[in-house]
Amino acid sequence: MTFTACITGATSGFGKATAEKFANQGWHLLLIGRREDRLEALKAELSEKTCVETIALDVRDTEQVISALSTYPTTLAPLKVLVNNAGLALGTSPAVECDLAQWHQMIDTNTKGLVTITHTLLPRLIEFGAGASIFNIGSVAGTYPYPGGNVYCGTKAFVEQFSKAIRCDLLGTGVRVTNIAPGMAESEFTLVRTGGNQQAHDNLYEGANPIQPEDIADTLWWLANMPDHLNVNNFEIMPVRQAWSPFAVHREK
Ligand code: NDP
Ligand code: 8X3
């Protein structure tokens, strides 16, 4: 039997790698992102292997999300997996120096957008029943705060708690929910966060052997294929070369 995965943020990084992974395994895909040219290029690449539909939209646009997803493409198999991956960090400044518009964009994308997509597609996942999965891409930033993480950390804490809370509501439906919390991963994430600073990107990942998007795609594939009676609540994954620091202490002289 063929299934469909809906992946938000499919134009780059984790989302693109996950689309490729699931397509290689014969799944149908419903791909979402803002950059239409990239969606079309991915569709052209993957359509040789499977059935792909794309929707160019901004997950922050609630009306557009509801309208675009209100009719499910007839070409696609039943929806079994939703990967809520679209998200971003903007800036690394201390809170008082941050741009409020960037804070709002992170909240609107990482939390409000994720909630809108989930609310819109939830009836289809419940209809599928046992074995359906929602994979919410959180972050280690949702658990471990760091300087300059401010609102980004807050949005990812929301993703974790929302994931656990809707599990309570979905009890009895068979639908699974997992918060995936990756650490340092090499994608376009740092370029986006720094406004295109290639040097910052290179410096961050140099010598760190970071997570690659394909690692997350493999993880999601493994989770999607777990026996139906199991739910991984929280999946935290870091590069071996990344760990925690001691608490910072400000000492008065
Ligand atoms: P990328 O920047 O490579 O990918 C982000 C994706 O999100 C893009 O496809 C982008 O597409 C999409 N996106 C961003 N804003 C919107 C929007 N408003 N509407 C629709 N799509 C949007 O980064 P990653 O692959 O690394 O990030 C994927 C997720 O993983 C994010 O939620 C991120 O917070 C999380 N994460 C990343 C880590 C890392 O170190 N890289 C670690 C832990 C978590 P487009 O611009 O075309 O809309
Ligand atoms: C991305 C990982 O550590 O840059 O979510 O916040 S981190």
Side-chain angles (χ1 to χ4, degrees):
M1 189 171 171
T2 308
F3 306 119
T4 296
C6 173
I7 304 169
T8 68
T11 57
S12 153
F14 300 169
K16 181 168 184 281
T18 302
E20 288 165 343
K21 176 79 187 181
F22 279 63
N24 286 336
Q25 303 295 334
W27 280 49
H28 291 179
L29 295 170
L30 179 56
L31 305 178
I32 292 171
R34 288 169 302 178
R35 287 169 288 184
E36 195 165 8
D37 54 336
R38 291 204 186 191
L39 285 176
E40 286 312 310
L42 191 57
K43 181 176 181 175
E45 174 198 331
L46 301 182
S47 289
E48 291 171 14
K49 300 170 186 164
T50 191
C51 185
V52 181
E53 297 291 347
T54 60
I55 307 177
L57 61 75
D58 187 325
V59 297
R60 292 173 293 170
D61 187 335
T62 302
E63 282 185 14
Q64 202 191 354
V65 170
I66 293 170
S67 146
L69 294 177
S70 62
T71 44
Y72 188 73
T74 51
T75 47
L76 297 179
L79 183 71
K80 187 177 185 202
V81 164
L82 167 61
V83 183
N84 271 318
N85 165 73
L88 78 177
L90 294 169
T92 54
S93 302
V96 72
E97 295 168 20
C98 285
D99 176 0
L100 185 58
Q102 291 193 332
W103 277 10
H104 286 170
Q105 185 175 346
M106 286 187 276
I107 293 167
D108 289 346
T109 309
N110 303 355
T111 67
K112 200 172 153 198
L114 181 145
V115 160
T116 307
I117 294 275
T118 304
H119 188 268
T120 308
L121 289 177
L122 204 45
R124 296 201 172 275
L125 294 162
I126 292 172
E127 189 183 326
F128 189 97
S133 300
I134 300 172
F135 298 128
N136 291 329
I137 308 298
S139 168
V140 292
T143 307
Y144 313 107
Y146 58 85
N150 43 68
V151 164
Y152 180 69
C153 292
T155 64
K156 293 304 186 177
F158 173 92
V159 172
E160 179 176 355
Q161 192 64 359
F162 175 66
S163 303
K164 290 178 179 164
I166 57 167
R167 273 213 66 218
C168 305
D169 299 343
L170 289 168
L171 201 63
T173 66
V175 179
R176 310 183 279 194
V177 188
T178 304
N179 175 57
I180 322 286
M184 178 192 282
E186 187 172 11
S187 62
E188 294 180 12
F189 179 83
T190 298
L191 287 174
V192 171
R193 185 172 211 168
T194 60
N197 186 334
Q198 186 64 47
Q199 196 59 54
H201 170 101
D202 296 347
N203 291 346
L204 184 65
Y205 302 119
E206 188 185 5
N209 203 1
I211 295 169
Q212 294 299 319
E214 292 71 23
D215 300 322
I216 299 302
D218 289 347
T219 299
L220 292 174
W221 177 249
W222 175 72
L223 288 167
N225 288 286
M226 292 198 79
D228 292 356
H229 66 289
L230 299 176
N231 192 106
V232 175
N233 302 327
N234 201 22
F235 190 99
E236 188 177 292
I237 178 168
M238 290 167 89
V240 171
R241 295 186 187 177
Q242 184 180 33
W244 306 270
S245 296
F247 287 121
V249 179
H250 172 75
R251 300 182 195 282
E252 294 290 341
K253 297 271 186 220

